[in-house]
Amino acid sequence: MRKFSSLLFLLFLSWTASAQQLNSPNGALQLNFELKDGVPFYDLKYKGIPVILPSKLGLKLKNHPDFTEGFVTSTAEQSDFDETWEPVWGEEKAIRNHYKEMAVTLHQDAAHEHRTLMIRFRLFDDGLGFRYEFPSQQGLAHFIVSDEKTQFAMTGDHTAFWIPGDYDTQEYDYVESKLSEIRGLMDAAITGNISQTSFSPTGVQTSLMLKTADGLYINLHEAALINYATMHLNLDDEKMIFESWLTPNPNGDKVYLQTPSVSPWRTIIVSDDAREILASRITYNLNEPNKIEDTSWIRPMKYIGVWWEMITGKSTWAYTDDFPAVELGVTDFSKASPNGKHGATTENVKRHIDFAAAHGFDGVLVEGWNEGWEDWFGNAKDYVFDFVTPYPDFDLAGVRDYARSKGVELIMHHETSSSVRNYERHMDQAYQFMKDNGYNAVKSGYVGTILPLGDNHYSQWQVNHYQYALEKAADYQIMINAHEAVRPTGIARTYPNLIANESARGTEYQAFGGSKPNHVTVLPFTRLIGGPMDYTPGIFEMDISKLNPDNNSWVNSTIANQLALYVTMYSPLQMAADLPEHYEKFMDAFQFIKDVALDWDESRYLEAEPGYYLTIARKAKGTNDWYLGNVNGNEGRASQLTFDFLDSNKTYVATLYEDQKDAHYRNNPQAYEIKKGTVTHKTKLSQYSAPGGGFAISIREANAEEIKGLKKLK
Amino acid sequence: MRKFSSLLFLLFLSWTASAQQLNSPNGALQLNFELKDGVPFYDLKYKGIPVILPSKLGLKLKNHPDFTEGFVTSTAEQSDFDETWEPVWGEEKAIRNHYKEMAVTLHQDAAHEHRTLMIRFRLFDDGLGFRYEFPSQQGLAHFIVSDEKTQFAMTGDHTAFWIPGDYDTQEYDYVESKLSEIRGLMDAAITGNISQTSFSPTGVQTSLMLKTADGLYINLHEAALINYATMHLNLDDEKMIFESWLTPNPNGDKVYLQTPSVSPWRTIIVSDDAREILASRITYNLNEPNKIEDTSWIRPMKYIGVWWEMITGKSTWAYTDDFPAVELGVTDFSKASPNGKHGATTENVKRHIDFAAAHGFDGVLVEGWNEGWEDWFGNAKDYVFDFVTPYPDFDLAGVRDYARSKGVELIMHHETSSSVRNYERHMDQAYQFMKDNGYNAVKSGYVGTILPLGDNHYSQWQVNHYQYALEKAADYQIMINAHEAVRPTGIARTYPNLIANESARGTEYQAFGGSKPNHVTVLPFTRLIGGPMDYTPGIFEMDISKLNPDNNSWVNSTIANQLALYVTMYSPLQMAADLPEHYEKFMDAFQFIKDVALDWDESRYLEAEPGYYLTIARKAKGTNDWYLGNVNGNEGRASQLTFDFLDSNKTYVATLYEDQKDAHYRNNPQAYEIKKGTVTHKTKLSQYSAPGGGFAISIREANAEEIKGLKKLK
């Protein structure tokens, strides 16, 4: 008893000192932490301006006292960290990880069983990351998080670029609105998806991009989502306070944990310059370093595919219309009548291999090559694919050998139809099959509702699956490009074989009725904060009815905009998504796709305004070549560019791919012009982009011979 | 339109003939099928006496018209079947499968989209099996069964031997009551279990044993539960009608199917002689023939184990008390302090190997050999075991080599803690590990609530898991003994590597507070209808406090009763569950366990009354030896035996293990006596069994020398 009293006394002393302050390395950001009446609060300021007002921290537990109140003491340890690390692939060759850290240890009172919770803050010059840590302690071995109660109290009715909160999909168009308008706009924002589960009229997803009336840019997301439920944000639109909203497991519990363990990091990137949001690397920095020793097999890839023709409805994944229901291993496809529209035929794939080889592409993705597409989704079908059995018209060995002879890699496709157990059952065999046949990368898919029905794409249970698939792929030296999986949170730092994700509304929606013209000016501020997206750009034919008379979709973009995406939508995996025959009509424009690099030594964010425009210049890995891309929103606009990122003593040859003056995403998208000229570090350029348009520039160091006869670019 | 009319006309003709009758081969059973106002009905008579009154058939579908009504036509095809097949192991060397079949094809009206349903009836002399069949048809490719509405209308307020309906466990004591009393007795019948989910105050499990006032014995169960939800029965206790009640998947749907497919068989075994219920093989006969070509590796096994000492609390599965939570691969057991009570130590296992070798046992089961038991259940812990990593005090290679040198096989233990995904993830590695280390059989366990929480042990989803584990084990030539899995339904005919299941209240409950003394007189009429049980008999020390002072349980059985179980509880896998040191005190009684066979050419059910007594004689495979067992209920009783099953021209030596006159399960369980004498086919014996007692007799053909000096047994 005596010991207990003295403990209380000591801790009381430290409680009196429990208000803690932390400044970022350059002092721009200031974090305050405080215990008020037993409740932990934090707030954040940028250059003295409030970003996050005092906001509560904590979690509710099931069958245990909550971690939201009853804290009587806290101690804080501050430390510095500064390292520079080299990513296996990325927007630059070296990333600085520089922060001040404060680890706060909180003790609860007797009514809360004297539990201990830690909150670790890392304050960078461009943002804050913090997470909960659950140390090993008496009486708390395993526990269930029933709710996380992390608040992000806004300073006003900011403008947000948001998509509806959903446990199953991020495939929504972004809405730009005031926070106070979210509730009224929610219903219309929830457009149809094969699998979707919204939860609140003010629930939105991260990463969430915000802009204040004062011109502050704020981004809310999470980093290192491992063994935890995906976080959404629910807005109290009277108080303008966001609170974390975790995706439930099937029975409603949010997270199962044991001590010691940690939550993902909650991140707040902040700047008065939108370009710094794009340049921020705190999401990667808050992840663990690379765990894959030999990374020689992880290589950026540019690819084409047998895909867009199915997405538009020109051809089909399915081989036959004979079977309303397929039973793998029983249904005999060799006796079926082909439907005549099957995309993944040997002949068509070889044609794609030829095209890839002719134009220097690394790979060809083939979808619909394997049995099971006749009834592949919407049927709660467990054994939907086996991932190894080709249709009769796909000569697997022949195609494999042909690709090899042409120096082209095939990219595997594992659509799971969200029959996740079935995928795990076949995973070892499927990965081994890939290695046996020379496939080193796989596009995995999670279309449809998770089986067994009742679970969701973003639950802890499924998050653990995606991680399982990723780590097992690493064992097989396989690169993963996971579609419909949970959106990335920087895990590619730790497992760089995660070369891309979809996890947002990709180009396919341009064939499903169209996306907003400014969609691509938002994605880099939202979805791409966590990692690269397999956006599949490069559509040259915007009138989808020309591919499929029954599909009246229109691609809301110009060709110049499509080219720019290879620069603005950073990914080590880039597709040229349109059909070879469409590229063959515009080979001069196609040249940019052939030329553009996939991996970079340096990136410069020249202009940026979410929802409106974005201009990025990147220096290709190991070269002096630069590629520049601009994408534009709904209105025409002129960029004012300077090329001061170029070496001051060199002259470069630039090839500019621009919208013609009368180009327009809706009625004149193919109106582009190509100009060639010289540029130096002194070049200034006022460059027009059409509505839904953009421009792309390739810049390479030139010798005297090459620049002969070329004028300065203007 | 004209075609449609003529179709209706034709079908109307066949509707007028839609009342169909089918007689069993010997005419004892009569089935009637009829469409009444569009609803299918069946009824069953035994020797002219109603067994099942007219009962509805059908299923409710989700998002489709139901298969319960609107049937306008039916056609029936009758056929005969008679075969004799040889099981890989069993109660006899050949099983006759002899039935009359009627396949009824039912067509629905336009309001029900002209759907087709088939019901296939197989009428044996000892019972009826029927199932639903869903043929491939227009507009019905994939569908969801939301409820099965199969009725079993009783003819009166029968006596039932029932356990509470439950989605997760069958580990209940049986209640004997009138059907009308079930509701009032339900609450008390639902005793505690780590995982249990009851659903109705009149819901009971199958197989359900019933007895009518007229002395008819009726057993309701199912056969070939494959890719379907486990069936329970819910009683309308006003009308005395049972209706099928399927275990739901996590979201409440019962079964996901596609056409063509079939339901499991619903079985009704019926006789006026209880012995014929035990002799019935319709559950096996309704399963598909053996699918395993080479069965040379499937062998009955008699085994001991490091198990009862943990069940009683004398020792522990866990190695240490250091870790409130284990993280496999991270927690370092080599640095932990042993708790001093760990059962699966190298030394203890070697002691068991020595005992097994000395007494001719085939195998030794070792539980608690692998890391993870410190926090193995109740924590919703996903990665709970890896199935391959031993504790520091278990020298896997040393024990393996020692067992091999002694000619003893080790039996693997895979406790999954119901973290089923985790088991599937490790299954290939775990099975391969077994083969690499000479294990050919595994006891798998599903203790605790299924993960992710929300699913249940008996759902279609989990039924598919057990089948997956079984079929994969067959690929590895591994025998399965699955505990806490769904109760068997004769699947061992098709996959004879399913050598046993628990799936009922086994001997372990004698150390958890005790089971009813007559429990073992009920199990052969209920649980064993679907296949063998790893009941783990052979307890000689009934006072559990002698093993663990903190455990006041009492084994409600006499030693003679325990010996008889090796005959009455048929299983190709039989454990001698008690500790070697207990057997060493009673080596004369232990001799019966050493002698008794595991596989049989013939079985004779000499006496039987569920809940009261049971006497079975079995002829050991490939010999002229017989073993006879009697188990008795709560009261003392004398059996009147004749030995006319013996060869008429031979004299046999019999060793009788009987209760002493004052033996009693509660206060004098170890009072047994052993008598030796001769028997012939003319021998008659009046043999007493104590309350909770029994007797066992080993009988072997003897030569003149052996019988010298022996008296006739009496």
Side-chain angles (χ1 to χ4, degrees), chain A residues 612-630:
Chain A
Y612 294 88
Y613 57 84
L614 191 64
T615 311
I616 302 174
R618 304 191 197 267
K619 190 178 180 194
K621 191 115 198 149
T623 73
N624 278 319
D625 300 343
W626 287 78
Y627 293 85
L628 196 147
N630 161 279

Side-chain angles (χ1 to χ4, degrees), chain A residues 134-256:
Chain A
F134 312 98
S136 194
Q137 58 194 286
Q138 199 61 36
L140 192 71
H142 301 83
F143 60 102
I144 299 169
V145 177
S146 53
D147 268 311
E148 185 184 313
K149 306 297 279 182
T150 305
Q151 292 186 342
F152 304 86
M154 301 289 101
T155 59
D157 188 10
H158 304 330
T159 296
F161 296 85
W162 58 273
I163 53 174
D166 198 295
Y167 298 153
D168 283 297
T169 186
Q170 291 210 318
E171 295 179 358
Y172 292 113
D173 254 326
Y174 286 92
V175 179
E176 177 184 352
S177 81
K178 295 283 179 193
L179 295 178
S180 57
E181 297 168 334
I182 290 176
R183 185 183 296 272
L185 295 168
M186 182 60 75
D187 276 358
I190 301 173
T191 47
N193 192 283
I194 291 171
S195 174
Q196 60 191 152
T197 309
S198 54
F199 55 84
S200 159
T202 57
V204 298
Q205 305 205 34
T206 74
S207 86
L208 176 70
M209 191 65 218
L210 299 155
K211 187 179 178 183
T212 75
D214 301 335
L216 267 195
Y217 299 87
I218 304 168
N219 184 284
L220 304 179
H221 192 35
E222 63 180 324
L225 171 59
I226 304 249
N227 193 30
Y228 204 85
T230 305
M231 183 180 76
H232 293 82
L233 296 173
N234 196 44
L235 179 67
D236 176 338
D237 53 1
E238 290 191 359
K239 298 180 182 162
M240 295 302 163
I241 297 176
F242 282 111
E243 192 169 270
S244 54
W245 183 290
L246 301 181
T247 308
N249 278 306
N251 77 332
D253 295 334
K254 300 308 190 316
V255 191
Y256 302 102

